[in-house]
Amino acid sequence: MPYHGHRRAARTLAIRPAASPLRSLWELLRNRHAALRLLLVLLALVGMLVSVHAMRKPFGYRLGQRADYGIAARLDFERPNLVQTERARDDAESKVPPIFNHKRVLIEELPGKLGGMLKRVAAVKQADLIPPDLLIPFGLTDVGQIGKRPNPRNGPTTAQRRDRFYAAVRDPEQLKKIDQEFRQFIQPILDTGVLLSLSIPNVKLSDLTMLRIMPQEGTAVTDDDRTGPANGIAAATELENENSLEAAAISESRSEDRLVMLSDVQLPLLLSANGRLGAAWPRFAALQNIRPMLEDWLTTHVQETLFYNDQATQDARQLARKSTPDVKEAFKKGNLLVNPGTVIDQDFLSLLQSEYNAFEDQITAWQRWLRVMVVAAVIILLGGLNGYYLVRNEPELVRSASRLSVYLVVIVVAVALGQALSFDPWRAEVIPLTATVMIFAIAYNQLLATLTGFSLSLILAFSTGSGLGHFVVLMSAATLTVIPLTQVSSRSTLIKVGLGSAVAYFVVSWGVAVIETQSLAALFENTNLLMASLRGAAWCLVSGFLVAGSLPFIESLFGVVTNTSLLELGDVSHPLLAELVRRAPGTYNHSITVASIAETAADSIGANGLLVKIGAYFHDIGKMVKPHYFVENMVLGETSRHNQLAPAMSTLIIIGHVKDGVDLAEQHGLPRPVVDFIEQHHGTTLVEYFYHAANKQASEHPDQGYDVQESDFRYPGPKPQTRELAVMMLSDAVESASRALSEPTPKRIESLVNDIARKRLLDGQFEECGLTLTELNKIQDSLVKSLNAIYHGRIKYPEQRSA
């Protein structure tokens, strides 16, 4: 009784109360590896929140969408009227006058030129002795007269005009007065310039056209230049005091822009009776006496001083456009923005976008963070669903930080791309969705791919504002993508899967439209629905091509191998296999036989027979480093090299072929699943022959103190981690052992297979691969049949007698 009471007390003391959630969390955080995985999950959550724009409500309207019940404004808002704004900007641009640069120096030179000529006229002793080169500019000759104003038929003769002109300029005081008045007289064209040619490319000019006059850079003149040459009639220092203020005003006006009409810069119009120069003659008495002669002189000596500046004009017009404010139109809360039954076009989409932006602008920071927390809760819920499955069914993925990070990054990138591609004109959010589920079906399994497809479809549907109908379409496409992907036998398989997904997208899109509209007419009347369905189907097909083209990168990133790559590895011209044939032909023959029987055994339990076959090809490549230490490579009559070695040394050589094989596989870039066959096909089994030899040697020489440890004669492992590797272990063992049978009868073969399978089972070699006893029996039956087929009996033919 005391004994039993002690047992119960011990069991009672072993029971401890469950730890609190906070303590469990603390213990989790203290675990560095667990904390790293938790950090990865948190980073993925942040990336997901950023990808779905969690702070903003999704804009759910797209081109071609039908507003069955209409769309009303949720608040008062304004938006620019693009048509009226463009019209206002065009009007502002048209009002910008063409810009001309004014070269003032050409006008400032005129007083000096006129003074010099008048001085020469005054120096002549009588009028009829005036040289022709002085008469012609003033229109005082009948021969070659170039004046633009013809003499009146009943007016004074040319000689009379010449005499009067000569008399007016002979007096020095009169010349001085002429100079002063002329400087004032030409002030209008000095300020505004003269335009002679009206033919300017891309510029339409009329009498009412306004011109903007700007002083030309680099044309400033000195005071000496302004008064003319040194031989002029009057120097600037002789100007009267009353003209000093006017001269200062003239100098100050040099840097000012002026707006003038076209008629104010055309010399003929300026000299007309109503022109600025023509109307000014009566104010200048000294000039009035020689007016006709001065008009002729101005006509011949005034040059064009205005030059069109196209660059400045275009810059001013662009500035006018940019400076014109937007013309806004106002909408009141409740105003119908889109009428019921209207299909949203680009104009309606722009209006709805403006209303959406105005609505988002009035959202407070607290409301935004509340939305972020709600979205985070939804994502955590979906993530918890996926995480629970991973922990229960994919523990290796969860335990590896690198593999978990790849899984999370792919999901976040898929959401980000889906969000970015969901807008017009792409509407291609189905591409990252179907591509992701294809990749996960290849890299992991169909169930995980389906679960991921469900989560991604839900997130994309609600983060883009598409609603339940679009979620059904996306989920259907994702599901039809996963179902056929039991294995990837060729790249065309992925394209076919994309085609099936495209058909599903098209059909389900139409089905959802019929359910939502409750009318079959929508299928034939709504061309936008047809185009959207065809576009989505095309994107599904595109995803198949994308995954097929990037298959090698997917295999490398996720550490998986597809049947397509396996078939390429199975080529006998592979460098490793070719070298194995040359160095260790017996091992090569053994590998081919193992591949044959192992593939059949794997198929019998639903495992990947092709993977087992290719793994068998390479599982013993390490033996070609020291081929003659393995019995299958010894020729008849050759003495075993192990006879000269201690059992422990022989064991090291035998076990070493695993490490050598792994090194060769990694050097040649074999995929990890194939390397696993090299590393795990012996598990942690015992090298029995040399272990027993060591024990025998120790018993025969007890005085030498041999200490035989069983662990020294076991392979380093690991044990087989998959069913395929378990099949490989059994196939390799039974094929090697069957060669030692003197008479391989069916009964002996069956007994041999059963014995080896039982030993491996009792040795715990199948503890980590998930192999069941039922599957083990099927493997044994398959191996027995295959070996019987290899060692079947043959009819003995009689010996041929010589003639």
Side-chain angles (χ1 to χ4, degrees), residues 597-607 723 726-727 730-731 734 750 753-754 757 766 771-787:
I597 64 175
E599 181 182 17
T600 305
D603 289 337
S604 67
I605 62 171
R723 296 186 303 166
V727 172
L730 281 176
S731 302
V734 300
E750 182 179 2
V753 171
N754 292 338
F766 304 139
L771 189 69
T772 65
L773 291 176
T774 302
E775 291 172 338
L776 182 59
N777 289 330
K778 292 181 179 180
I779 294 172
Q780 292 177 234
D781 293 341
S782 176
L783 292 176
V784 169
K785 292 179 181 178
S786 298
L787 291 175

Side-chain angles (χ1 to χ4, degrees), residues 258-510:
R258 294 177 179 273
L259 286 177
V260 298
M261 295 184 64
L262 179 62
S263 58
D264 293 335
V265 295
Q266 292 183 278
L267 188 61
L269 296 178
L270 287 169
L271 294 175
S272 64
N274 296 325
R276 297 176 64 189
L277 297 181
W281 289 115
R283 293 192 291 110
F284 303 100
L287 300 182
Q288 183 69 18
N289 294 331
I290 58 173
R291 173 180 176 180
M293 285 66 77
L294 286 179
E295 288 182 345
D296 287 336
W297 187 87
L298 287 171
T299 302
T300 58
H301 282 75
V302 173
Q303 303 179 47
E304 188 171 53
T305 67
L306 298 180
F307 304 94
Y308 178 63
N309 191 331
D310 181 70
Q311 184 62 46
T313 302
Q314 297 302 325
D315 292 343
R317 289 174 178 173
Q318 290 298 321
L319 180 61
R321 291 186 65 87
K322 294 179 180 179
S323 302
T324 304
D326 293 336
V327 179
K328 297 184 179 295
E329 55 182 337
F331 296 88
K332 297 294 182 181
K333 181 178 181 180
N335 284 2
L336 203 60
L337 303 179
V338 182
N339 293 322
T342 303
V343 176
I344 297 177
D345 58 12
Q346 187 61 52
D347 293 335
F348 282 125
L349 188 66
S350 176
L351 176 59
L352 293 172
Q353 183 71 54
S354 299
E355 189 266 351
Y356 167 79
N357 292 335
F359 183 82
E360 284 295 321
D361 290 341
Q362 54 91 37
I363 298 296
T364 64
W366 164 247
Q367 290 173 316
R368 293 192 185 280
W369 283 110
L370 179 61
R371 173 177 171 77
V372 170
M373 289 187 287
V374 172
V375 174
V378 173
I379 294 177
I380 291 173
L381 180 63
L382 291 174
L385 178 65
N386 288 265
Y388 178 79
Y389 172 83
L390 291 176
V391 171
R392 294 295 301 270
N393 299 279
E394 299 289 338
E396 290 298 325
L397 191 155
V398 178
R399 282 195 290 264
S400 173
S402 59
R403 296 183 63 188
L404 180 62
S405 61
V406 170
Y407 172 80
L408 294 175
V409 166
V410 170
I411 291 180
V412 173
V413 170
V415 173
L417 288 178
Q419 178 74 16
L421 295 175
S422 66
F423 296 98
D424 295 303
W426 297 101
R427 305 283 293 279
E429 64 272 19
V430 73
I431 291 181
L433 170 65
T434 53
T436 300
V437 296
M438 280 188 195
I439 292 172
F440 282 3
I442 295 170
Y444 303 119
N445 56 69
Q446 291 175 291
L447 185 56
L448 178 57
T450 304
L451 187 60
T452 304
F454 169 79
S455 302
L456 289 179
S457 299
L458 195 60
I459 292 173
L460 288 175
F462 287 103
S463 67
T464 58
S466 304
L468 183 60
H470 194 55
F471 164 73
V472 173
V473 175
L474 293 178
M475 189 61 203
S476 300
T479 303
L480 263 294
T481 301
V482 174
I483 291 176
L485 279 179
T486 54
Q487 59 181 5
V488 183
S489 57
S490 65
R491 285 181 172 83
S492 62
T493 301
L494 295 172
I495 299 175
K496 294 175 183 177
V497 168
L499 180 61
S501 177
V503 173
Y505 188 100
F506 184 83
V507 173
V508 176
S509 294
W510 277 34

Side-chain angles (χ1 to χ4, degrees), residues 121-166:
V121 172
V124 178
K125 294 183 178 181
Q126 58 185 33
D128 56 354
L129 296 179
I130 299 174
D133 63 317
L134 295 177
L135 295 176
I136 292 174
F138 293 101
L140 298 177
T141 178
D142 294 330
V143 180
Q145 182 177 351
I146 60 175
K148 296 181 180 180
R149 180 187 51 78
N151 292 328
R153 185 169 297 179
N154 298 326
T157 63
T158 301
Q160 294 173 340
R161 294 173 55 241
R162 181 191 62 200
D163 294 340
R164 189 172 66 183
F165 173 70
Y166 178 71

